[in-house]
């Protein structure tokens, strides 16, 4: 299926085409950073070779999706040291309907997810390196990968803080470290988090410099954070926008940097004056983040007159498969955590990011599209669950004599 590109997918295509033609990253005649430059810039590099084409962009997304499957296999094998669990993990992700359907639009999901999963592989490789020099190199490359992911979607910007807590709690586990004082382990963890963070910022720095030169303001990655935070005051799941200036003062502001600052100010004021309501709505947002798997269908099957009458059935199918994968993932998390104490420190890394990412949407509007980058991590844990259930089934059919 190759639906017409609409909304931000059409926007990405237009900006990538302009970048490929050396026309800069602009919107409505002015330099922009409203949406991060990472995905349209990456796409424009391809278009410089092939020429602008929606089909080429879809092929690129399909290749990135295939790459994610390979990364899921590698990550699961690194975590669980079993090729069979890794096979089932990659198969579970491959068969997730939404990860297939998202390849029908020019969204940033695939590139962001690819770079994110690559970060976990590189970081884990660094923690397992036998020499300190090799470990630092791997962690530096991991930081660059996470920084490039931030250029596509800046959600992981604060993850080094959680990385510090993870490293403090779970690393290192050698006998000497067990006897080390708490503050010594904290310093080691802080050093590792800062090291990764520095290289993450190194990958972000070119975008920040571009924003400073073209927009004459300090903009780390993008200017839509304040707007999104303000939207989160008005809606939990789904999109909100009003053109009534009494309801939405942002519509009176044309400068996107000023709009971003105003959105942050209004949202912060609301949160400070309505803490209990914000707290309750935060849990609703998290529920909306995880409740279904239908957004990809809206931008694909919904636009087709052939499939539109069957949209409800398609939504039911994709959500049912999603919940099956999530059930396997949750079982796999509990199963591996209970049975493999020695490798808990490795399991804890993707779980730490899942917690971080979920907390991020306690304040921002949340729906299943934003959960998509977490699915390879959940799929990794589905692998050992499927393997364990298969072994249990075989024993029940053919019990040992």
């Amino acid at each position: 299926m190759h639906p017409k590109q609409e909304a931000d997918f059409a926007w990405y295509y237009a900006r990538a085409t302009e970048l490929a033609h050396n026309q800069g990253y602009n919107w409505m005649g002015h330099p922009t950073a409203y949406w991060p430059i990472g995905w349209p810039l990456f796409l424009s590099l391809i278009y410089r070779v092939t020429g602008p084409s929606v089909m080429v962009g879809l092929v690129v997304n399909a290749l990135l999706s295939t790459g994610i499957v390979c990364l899921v296999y590698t990550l699961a094998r690194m975590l669980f040291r079993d090729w069979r669990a890794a096979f089932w993990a990659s198969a579970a992700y491959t068969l997730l309907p939404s990860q297939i359907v998202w390849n029908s639009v020019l969204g940033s999901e695939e590139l962001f997810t690819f770079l994110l999963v690559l970060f976990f592989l590189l970081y884990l490789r660094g923690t397992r390196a036998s020499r300190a020099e090799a470990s630092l190199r791997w962690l530096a490359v991991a930081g660059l990968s996470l920084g490039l992911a931030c250029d596509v979607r800046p959600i992981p910007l604060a993850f080094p803080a959680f990385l510090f807590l993870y490293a403090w709690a779970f690393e290192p586990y050698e006998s000497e470290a067990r006897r080390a004082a708490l503050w010594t382990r904290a310093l080691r963890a802080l050093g590792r988090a800062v090291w990764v963070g520095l290289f993450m910022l190194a990958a972000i720095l070119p975008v920040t410099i571009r924003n400073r030169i073209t927009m004459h303001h300090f903009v780390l990655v993008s200017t839509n954070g304040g707007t999104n935070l303000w939207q989160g005051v008005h809606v939990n799941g789904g999109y909100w926008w009003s053109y009534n200036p009494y309801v939405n003062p942002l519509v009176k502001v044309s400068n996107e940097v000023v709009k971003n600052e105003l959105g942050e100010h209004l949202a912060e004021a609301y949160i400070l004056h309505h803490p209990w309501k914000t707290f309750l709505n935060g849990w609703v947002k998290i529920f909306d983040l995880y409740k279904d798997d239908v957004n990809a269908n809206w931008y694909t099957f919904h636009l087709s007159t052939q499939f539109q009458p069957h949209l409800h059935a398609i939504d039911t199918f994709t959500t049912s498969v999603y919940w099956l994968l999530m059930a396997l993932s949750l079982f796999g998390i509990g199963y591996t955590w209970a049975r493999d104490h020695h490798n808990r420190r490795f399991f804890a890394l993707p779980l730490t990011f899942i917690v971080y990412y979920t907390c991020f949407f306690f304040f921002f509007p949340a729906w299943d599209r934003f959960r998509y980058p977490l699915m390879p991590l959940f799929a990794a844990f589905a692998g050992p669950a499927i393997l364990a259930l298969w072994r249990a089934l075989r024993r029940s059919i053919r019990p040992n004599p």
Side-chain angles (χ1 to χ4, degrees):
M1 173 180 288
H2 308 296
K4 179 183 177 182
Q5 303 300 303
E6 293 190 346
D8 44 341
F9 313 117
W11 195 93
Y12 284 135
Y13 175 73
R15 302 294 85 74
T17 300
E18 292 168 0
L19 284 166
H21 290 154
N22 297 318
Q23 296 174 2
Y25 190 51
N26 304 305
W27 188 23
M28 295 185 292
H30 301 283
T32 185
Y34 186 76
W35 274 310
I37 195 174
W39 169 236
L41 178 61
F42 175 81
L43 197 57
S44 74
L45 299 178
I46 308 296
Y47 285 170
R48 286 178 182 270
V49 178
T50 65
S53 167
V54 171
M55 183 58 66
V56 169
L58 297 180
V59 170
V60 170
N61 261 347
L63 292 174
L64 288 170
S65 179
T66 304
I68 294 169
V69 172
C70 297
L71 292 178
V72 169
Y73 176 89
T74 308
L75 176 63
R77 188 160 188 179
M78 185 178 290
L79 288 174
F80 310 116
R81 301 178 183 270
D82 190 325
W83 70 267
R84 293 163 297 182
F87 168 80
W88 285 116
S90 58
Y93 182 74
T94 301
L95 297 176
L96 182 67
S98 60
Q99 80 86 15
I100 300 171
V101 179
W102 275 122
N103 293 324
S104 299
V105 292
L106 293 178
S108 61
E109 282 74 16
E110 304 297 351
L111 180 60
F112 175 76
T113 305
F114 181 91
L115 292 168
L116 182 65
V117 181
L118 181 62
F119 159 76
F120 292 112
L121 289 175
L122 295 169
Y123 187 93
L124 289 172
R125 182 67 180 85
T127 60
R128 291 180 172 180
S130 57
R131 294 185 299 111
E133 296 83 356
S135 176
L136 289 175
R137 285 196 295 269
W138 283 108
L139 294 177
V141 180
L144 291 173
S145 179
L146 190 62
L148 292 174
C150 290
D151 291 337
V152 180
R153 286 187 178 182
I155 295 174
L157 277 172
F159 183 61
F162 276 65
L163 198 60
F164 160 69
L165 296 175
Y166 156 77
W168 190 6
F170 292 98
E171 298 183 36
Y173 264 60
E174 293 79 7
S175 57
E176 178 186 351
R178 287 179 179 176
R179 295 192 299 268
L182 189 62
W183 65 269
T184 304
R185 292 187 62 188
L187 285 177
R188 292 178 180 176
L190 180 62
R192 179 169 291 183
V194 169
W195 182 255
V196 172
L198 286 174
F199 282 90
M200 183 184 81
L201 291 176
I204 296 171
L205 185 60
V207 174
T208 308
I209 294 174
R210 175 265 169 194
N211 292 340
R212 182 67 181 87
I213 293 173
T214 61
M215 304 181 69
H216 311 293
H217 288 85
F218 175 80
V219 177
L220 191 61
V221 177
S222 61
T223 59
N224 61 351
T227 300
N228 290 335
L229 191 62
W230 172 239
Q231 289 174 320
V233 167
H234 297 274
V235 68
N236 293 319
Y239 181 80
W240 174 88
W241 192 252
S242 172
Y243 289 97
N244 183 343
Y246 295 100
V247 176
N248 182 15
L250 271 61
V251 297
K252 298 185 292 184
V253 182
S254 58
N255 185 298
E256 64 183 61
V257 176
V258 177
K259 181 183 291 187
N260 180 61
E261 294 173 350
L262 177 60
E264 290 177 355
H265 173 74
L266 293 173
E268 290 168 2
Y270 177 89
I271 292 169
L272 289 174
H273 287 86
H274 304 85
W276 180 243
K277 188 174 182 180
T278 300
F279 176 78
L280 295 178
N281 283 334
W283 293 108
V284 178
K285 287 177 170 65
I286 292 176
F287 173 77
D288 288 334
L289 185 67
Y290 285 99
K291 68 180 180 182
D292 55 24
D293 203 14
V294 300
N295 196 224
N297 302 334
W298 178 263
Y299 290 107
T300 52
F301 296 109
H302 175 74
L303 300 179
S304 169
T305 56
Q306 179 183 358
F307 290 101
Q308 198 173 74
H310 310 290
L311 185 61
H312 178 72
I314 295 171
D315 286 347
T316 301
F317 171 74
T318 57
T319 298
S320 298
V321 176
Y322 155 71
W323 271 111
L324 175 61
L325 186 146
M326 289 298 288
L328 291 168
S329 300
L330 294 175
F331 174 75
I333 291 170
Y335 176 80
T336 54
W337 194 266
R339 292 180 62 91
D340 194 350
H341 292 218
H342 178 70
N343 288 315
R344 278 183 178 179
R345 58 173 172 150
F346 303 121
F347 307 156
L349 178 62
L351 295 177
T352 299
F353 185 81
I354 289 173
V355 171
Y356 163 81
Y357 193 94
T358 302
C359 291
F360 182 87
F361 285 96
F362 201 82
F363 300 97
F364 290 87
W367 60 92
D368 60 284
R369 177 182 178 183
F370 297 113
R371 187 200 60 244
Y372 176 79
L374 297 181
M375 296 316 298
L377 306 182
F378 284 117
F381 285 97
I386 296 172
L387 184 60
L389 293 173
W390 172 249
R391 287 171 173 169
L393 179 63
R394 289 185 62 183
R395 285 196 298 266
S396 66
I397 296 175
R398 294 186 300 176
N400 294 328

